Amino acid sequence: NDFYKLGVLRINFMTRTLPASKCSHARMNRVGTRLLHLTGFLLGNPLDLPRYHCKPPAEHTTQGPDTQVQMAEREAEPEQQPCSIESHPQVHVTGGEPHPQGHITGSELFGYVGIEAVLDQMRRKAMKTGFEFNIMVVGQSGLGKSTLVNTLFKSKVSRKSCTPNYEEKIPKTVQLQSVSHVIEEKGVKMKLTVIDTPGFGDQINNNNCWEPIVKYINEQYEKYLVEELNVSRKRRIPDTRVHCCVYFLPPTGHWLRPIDVEFMKRLGKIVSIVPVIAKADTLTMEERLEFKETIRHNLQANGIQVYPQREYDEDAEDRIRNDKIRENIPFAVVGTDKEHQVNGNKVLGRKTKWGIIEVENVAHCEFANLRDLLIRSHLQDLKDVTHDIHYETYRVRRLNEGNGGGPVNGSLEKSDGESQL
Amino acid sequence: MSFQGQFTNPETPGYVGFANLPNQVHRKSVKKGFEFTLMVVGESGLGKSTLINSLFLTDLYPERIIPGAAEKIERTVQIEASTVEIEERGVKLRLTVVDTPGYGDAINSQDCFSTIIAYIDDQFERYLHDESGLNRRHIVDNRVHCCFYFISPLGHGLKPLDVQFMKAIHNKVNVVPVIAKADTLTLRERERLKRRILDEIDEHGIKIYHLPDAESDEDEDFKEQTRILKASIPFAVVGSNQQIEAKGKKVRGRLYPWGVVEVENPEHNDFLKLRTMLITHMQDLQEVTQDLHYENFRSERLKRGGRKGSDPEEMDKDMILQEKEAELRRMQEMIAKMQAQMQKQGEGDGDGQHM
């Protein structure tokens, strides 16, 4: 019956659509791969999974009979290399019936089964279906938002590159314009949507200029919710929810302005905000450090949570990684699409009379850090946080409003990773 | 008659000697010193204070405290005037810099310029009052002679707030637009921005301060300089007072990992041009303020008669007449009193009685 349980998990990997429950398939992945790892070292050949070492999953208790993996006996450190059986004498080797509370214990396999091939199948499926990513850029006009987006994705994806005869006029009210592209790299397709907000913060009276943006984000959540609650649902719900909002701060070098504080306070609750210092080539290194320090202080003083939020760190490894990022927020970026020759290489940069500012040089600006955060390391995490946390908050609120208090499946508390398999 | 011999130049028979007048004026004004009031307006963080310090090579704001985040939220525009007396080669300059912290900071900047306009009007009012008073010896001229308006280099031109503000004050003070933090821009971006700003200024009918053309009898260098200055408006400047070592010599500039921006290098920015303009045209700025802006204000003010309401013209005139009569009576009384005093003191020193 352990195999049966693994089989159940396998089936869940294959199907993308899950019941309207707390558990996302991504979370399942993590649980599943931990299980794989467990079986792996029981097999005697520890799976060389780069990310998931033995971790104390004490913070990750899930309720529900099948996925309650009680590995609390193990006190493995995250940095430890794939554990061997000898160091964990407490792992029981049984093949017995499941405990009444659903206590799963390890089991020894006496041959190679091939469970790890699941990863390959997942990979192939992901490449076929592709990814969706929706990024919103907010900031005053002239801060280089469109240029930065183009630089991030190394293609002309911003609204300025897409509209012919583009004229730089400040609109009278905040508008939301979204442009979608499908970009491909090494066989992996991504449908990237860039949502731009021209007119934000440009007027004389900027009261409530964030409201159209809040409305848009909630509308996307609503669309997803409606689709999810539908009787006959689509196999893949089209995901137009905003996964990440990049907020551009002008490089004044002093402090956060009232409009910045108000915007981030309100939007930090419904979407993941990544603040960046725009056009950072106007600050010297000392000014930059001082400015960042002041901004972090201002953010803390106003209770604003930016991505990656401290409370959603799952385990110590995540915390360490994200702490490093949090120490560096907000990133000071420079964007450009022009190339110049520096020491014989072609580099992206801005050429001035006193030197060339190289965009991808970490000594010059932090564009590379931002790109790594947004694309190379945390893209999936951004989507997960949006789905598991922000969307669920919205859903709970809406359903409570709709039902007048009667919860739908009896467990509508906001707890991470609740699954209902 | 030996007196006359000093001033006759034997070579030109008809030489009278009043060509010496400019020297006398020069000597007198050097003794008296100059007064100049400069106002700086712009959003926070555009480098206004740094630029003023760089221009005048002093530290006008020695005790600058940056307020915390919570206190920042509800600030309104304030006016802070700081005065320094600078002396160079015997020439004294009493410089007043009027700063406007809080401009453009609030979410709703609808009335951030009413405070500023009220201040300018107030200075004019005070001068008018002093000028119409009895004792005109020690009139202090606190009128704003020039306003540097800082435009952010980040945008694509003028913001709506910039346009509205400049239109509100272009009839009261000389407006000199300045592009701040110009090291954000490459050369091409700078040219594009300058052209854009000039176009928008034309489009909205904003009257900025125009340098007077060089007289035809000035030398070529000066004419060329004026031409260059006129072509570079608005000036794109960078301010700094830090000494950086570059190419073996110490220059004022900003040190970046990719290079050094030199403040006084004309290829890097227009700081030198701004300074030249300010210094060679300080007198002209004062004149335009006196002849144009102040006179406009004065005629408006006297027409209005100091009434804020919507009183009809005739009532105004009556009121003015009554006020004037009352003043006349007061003055007559004062004169009578003084005459009595003088008679009492009688044969005292007789010169320079302080009235």
Side-chain angles (χ1 to χ4, degrees):
Chain A
N1 44 16
D2 288 299
F3 288 133
Y4 168 71
K5 288 195 185 65
L6 286 173
V8 167
L9 289 170
R10 192 161 36 104
I11 292 173
N12 277 332
F13 284 158
M14 290 304 123
T15 56
R16 283 278 173 225
T17 57
L18 294 171
S21 68
K22 297 296 177 182
C23 188
S24 78
H25 51 266
R27 202 152 303 258
M28 280 297 303
N29 286 354
R30 290 206 197 103
V31 172
T33 37
R34 282 200 201 109
L35 205 51
L36 283 177
H37 198 88
L38 166 63
T39 54
F41 74 74
L42 288 173
L43 288 174
N45 46 345
L47 295 175
D48 200 23
L49 294 174
R51 182 152 137 67
Y52 299 105
H53 302 284
C54 326
K55 302 182 256 224
E59 299 106 276
H60 188 78
T61 46
T62 56
Q63 283 143 35
D66 288 346
T67 55
Q68 185 167 19
V69 184
Q70 286 233 328
M71 301 194 267
E73 311 98 325
R74 296 201 278 136
E75 298 101 54
E77 290 307 308
E79 280 81 14
Q80 246 179 323
Q81 286 313 301
C83 339
S84 56
I85 296 188
E86 292 75 45
S87 54
H88 300 283
Q90 292 184 331
V91 176
H92 305 292
V93 179
T94 68
E97 318 83 36
H99 274 236
Q101 307 111 329
H103 189 103
I104 298 183
T105 48
S107 171
E108 201 177 76
L109 299 171
F110 33 86
Y112 176 69
V113 177
I115 300 173
E116 62 173 336
V118 160
L119 289 176
D120 266 334
Q121 299 168 26
M122 279 167 56
R123 203 155 186 278
R124 242 179 294 138
K125 202 90 204 293
M127 281 178 55
K128 254 204 296 188
T129 46
F131 295 91
E132 281 176 315
F133 191 58
N134 307 322
I135 182 173
M136 176 185 266
V137 282
V138 185
Q140 283 182 319
S141 106
L143 285 181
K145 306 187 286 291
S146 306
T147 313
L148 188 73
V149 167
N150 283 352
T151 319
L152 267 177
F153 295 101
K154 293 232 167 78
S155 35
K156 298 205 183 301
V157 287
S158 68
R159 70 180 158 112
K160 291 195 183 172
S161 324
C162 300
T163 40
N165 309 325
Y166 180 76
E167 258 214 21
E168 310 270 9
K169 278 230 176 276
I170 295 182
K172 292 267 181 260
T173 52
V174 180
Q175 294 167 357
L176 282 135
Q177 295 173 356
S178 87
V179 178
S180 294
H181 294 265
V182 175
I183 49 183
E184 180 173 334
E185 186 184 60
K186 295 217 182 120
V188 180
K189 288 205 223 1
M190 178 154 87
K191 176 161 178 268
L192 172 72
T193 307
V194 178
I195 303 142
D196 206 342
T197 54
F200 176 83
D202 285 329
Q203 324 303 337
I204 298 184
N205 182 356
N206 288 315
N207 271 339
N208 303 326
C209 61
W210 47 81
E211 274 178 13
I213 300 176
V214 172
K215 200 165 85 121
Y216 177 85
I217 294 178
N218 285 334
E219 272 171 12
Q220 307 314 305
Y221 287 148
E222 183 69 27
K223 258 194 236 169
Y224 196 90
L225 181 67
V226 161
E227 192 54 48
E228 217 183 29
L229 293 177
N230 216 346
V231 171
S232 58
R233 289 194 288 234
K234 296 204 190 100
R235 200 182 139 120
R236 265 193 84 198
I237 306 178
D239 190 1
T240 54
R241 300 169 295 187
V242 178
H243 298 129
C244 171
C245 173
V246 182
Y247 187 72
F248 285 71
L249 297 163
T252 58
H254 288 336
W255 47 70
L256 276 186
R257 303 168 304 155
I259 190 177
D260 301 332
V261 170
E262 286 301 308
F263 179 86
M264 288 202 271
K265 245 201 240 185
R266 284 150 209 274
L267 263 80
K269 303 199 183 108
I270 58 175
V271 77
S272 303
I273 298 191
V274 177
V276 296
I277 302 176
K279 296 202 170 173
D281 53 346
T282 203
L283 298 167
T284 61
M285 289 296 136
E286 303 91 41
E287 290 169 352
R288 184 195 288 185
L289 288 171
E290 253 186 67
F291 189 35
K292 286 213 235 189
E293 186 63 47
T294 313
I295 292 183
R296 283 196 288 267
H297 190 68
N298 285 170
L299 287 176
Q300 206 184 21
N302 284 296
I304 299 173
Q305 289 268 17
V306 296
Y307 182 82
Q309 294 95 329
R310 185 163 266 273
E311 51 200 10
Y312 306 140
D313 282 340
E314 288 169 14
D315 45 36
E317 186 190 309
D318 271 353
R319 180 156 306 149
I320 291 178
R321 232 165 33 127
N322 290 345
D323 271 342
K324 274 204 213 100
I325 296 172
R326 276 187 283 262
E327 278 164 28
N328 237 347
I329 277 190
F331 292 121
V333 295
V334 175
T336 183
D337 45 9
K338 300 203 176 46
E339 287 188 333
H340 300 278
Q341 288 277 9
V342 170
N343 298 336
N345 305 334
K346 264 190 166 290
V347 287
L348 275 179
R350 285 169 61 76
K351 185 161 180 198
T352 57
K353 272 251 178 266
W354 44 89
I356 296 187
I357 302 152
E358 297 169 41
V359 165
E360 304 207 351
N361 184 340
V362 278
H364 288 190
C365 76
E366 292 170 339
F367 170 78
N369 301 22
L370 178 71
R371 180 199 49 207
D372 289 345
L373 174 77
L374 283 186
I375 300 178
R376 295 189 189 172
S377 59
H378 282 70
L379 192 133
Q380 186 59 37
D381 192 52
L382 278 164
K383 292 176 67 169
D384 290 344
V385 167
T386 307
H387 183 78
D388 298 336
I389 294 164
H390 298 298
Y391 172 66
E392 293 300 324
T393 316
Y394 178 81
R395 180 172 172 275
V396 165
R397 211 180 57 225
R398 277 291 277 132
L399 292 180
N400 274 336
E401 276 173 30
N403 295 354
V408 174
N409 351 27
S411 51
L412 277 184
E413 311 90 349
K414 178 172 96 107
S415 65
D416 306 355
E418 222 175 31
S419 80
Q420 286 176 347
L421 283 175
Chain B
M1 300 297 130
S2 60
F3 191 61
Q4 269 173 347
Q6 267 182 308
F7 292 102
T8 353
N9 186 342
E11 273 147 45
T12 37
Y15 183 73
V16 178
F18 61 78
N20 230 351
L21 268 171
N23 294 346
Q24 299 178 20
V25 173
H26 176 93
R27 240 180 308 141
K28 261 235 156 108
S29 32
V30 164
K31 260 205 296 190
K32 193 169 88 157
F34 294 92
E35 282 177 325
F36 193 73
T37 305
L38 173 67
M39 178 181 261
V40 280
V41 186
E43 287 179 352
S44 299
L46 282 182
K48 305 185 290 290
S49 319
T50 316
L51 185 72
I52 297 296
N53 287 346
S54 317
L55 268 179
F56 299 103
L57 285 172
T58 78
D59 190 5
L60 236 57
Y61 309 94
E63 299 133 11
R64 198 109 180 275
I65 358 165
I66 314 267
E71 305 145 35
K72 277 290 306 167
I73 303 289
E74 282 313 313
R75 270 175 36 136
T76 49
V77 182
Q78 287 150 12
I79 309 274
E80 287 173 3
S82 20
T83 311
V84 282
E85 302 225 346
I86 316 179
E87 177 167 340
E88 192 184 56
R89 296 209 202 137
V91 181
K92 291 203 230 356
L93 172 68
R94 194 169 149 271
L95 170 75
T96 308
V97 175
V98 181
D99 199 353
T100 53
Y103 174 83
D105 275 350
I107 299 183
N108 185 353
S109 301
Q110 202 69 46
D111 6 81
C112 67
F113 30 98
S114 52
T115 324
I116 301 175
I117 296 183
Y119 177 82
I120 299 177
D121 280 343
D122 193 45
Q123 303 310 309
F124 278 149
E125 182 79 40
R126 241 181 258 184
Y127 192 83
L128 177 62
H129 181 86
D130 286 346
E131 202 189 40
S132 328
L134 283 184
N135 182 0
R136 305 209 295 185
R137 241 170 211 253
H138 300 283
I139 302 182
V140 177
D141 185 4
N142 265 331
R143 299 171 293 184
V144 180
H145 298 120
C146 179
C147 173
F148 279 178
Y149 190 77
F150 282 70
I151 299 172
S152 167
L154 305 173
H156 298 293
L158 292 178
K159 296 210 220 141
L161 179 64
D162 299 340
V163 172
Q164 267 213 17
F165 180 77
M166 287 206 274
K167 279 174 93 158
I169 62 165
H170 65 167
N171 280 324
K172 296 186 189 275
V173 81
N174 300 315
V175 178
V176 177
V178 172
I179 299 177
K181 292 198 171 175
D183 52 354
T184 318
L185 305 165
T186 62
L187 209 58
R188 219 172 341 143
E189 290 169 352
R190 190 190 301 178
E191 293 305 310
R192 198 158 26 132
L193 184 63
K194 283 193 189 184
R195 245 178 297 134
R196 200 64 206 281
I197 290 179
L198 288 172
D199 285 342
E200 290 188 359
I201 285 180
D202 268 337
E203 189 187 315
H204 289 106
I206 297 173
K207 298 181 223 144
I208 57 173
Y209 172 71
H210 289 293
L211 294 157
D213 288 320
E215 311 280 314
S216 46
D217 55 351
E218 301 274 0
D219 56 6
E220 267 308 309
D221 282 340
F222 189 72
K223 277 198 228 168
E224 182 61 30
Q225 187 192 65
T226 317
R227 229 171 312 173
I228 296 178
L229 285 183
K230 281 176 96 89
S232 310
I233 287 188
F235 299 113
V237 292
V238 173
S240 169
N241 264 338
Q242 275 180 315
Q243 300 273 2
I244 313 270
E245 184 91 26
K247 294 179 212 146
K249 49 187 172 97
K250 274 194 172 281
V251 286
R252 281 194 296 162
R254 289 170 64 73
L255 176 66
Y256 292 110
W258 48 86
V260 175
V261 180
E262 295 170 41
V263 165
E264 289 171 345
N265 185 336
E267 289 186 359
H268 288 190
N269 68 350
D270 297 333
F271 176 81
L272 281 181
K273 298 199 186 101
L274 178 69
R275 191 170 67 179
T276 314
M277 187 217 85
L278 187 62
I279 292 181
T280 51
H281 292 96
M282 208 179 261
Q283 180 65 19
D284 185 62
L285 284 163
Q286 282 180 332
E287 267 182 35
V288 174
T289 310
Q290 165 78 28
D291 297 338
L292 183 61
H293 301 297
Y294 173 66
E295 290 301 320
N296 276 342
F297 173 82
R298 187 172 170 277
S299 48
E300 285 296 305
R301 181 72 176 68
L302 291 181
K303 261 193 269 178
R304 243 180 37 221
R307 297 263 153 234
K308 273 199 204 157
S310 45
D311 292 331
E313 280 272 293
E314 298 79 25
M315 262 189 68
D316 258 354
K317 283 203 186 118
D318 279 294
M319 294 291 223
I320 295 177
L321 270 173
Q322 282 179 5
E323 278 178 347
K324 289 288 175 202
E325 281 175 6
E327 241 194 284
L328 259 172
R329 250 178 285 131
R330 256 182 283 130
M331 284 193 212
Q332 282 171 342
E333 283 172 35
M334 278 190 71
I335 291 179
K337 244 193 280 173
M338 280 177 216
Q339 278 179 340
Q341 261 186 354
M342 270 170 49
Q343 274 173 1
K344 260 194 247 157
Q345 285 183 342
E347 293 74 33
D349 358 14
D351 63 330
Q353 276 271 334
H354 190 76
M355 307 249 288

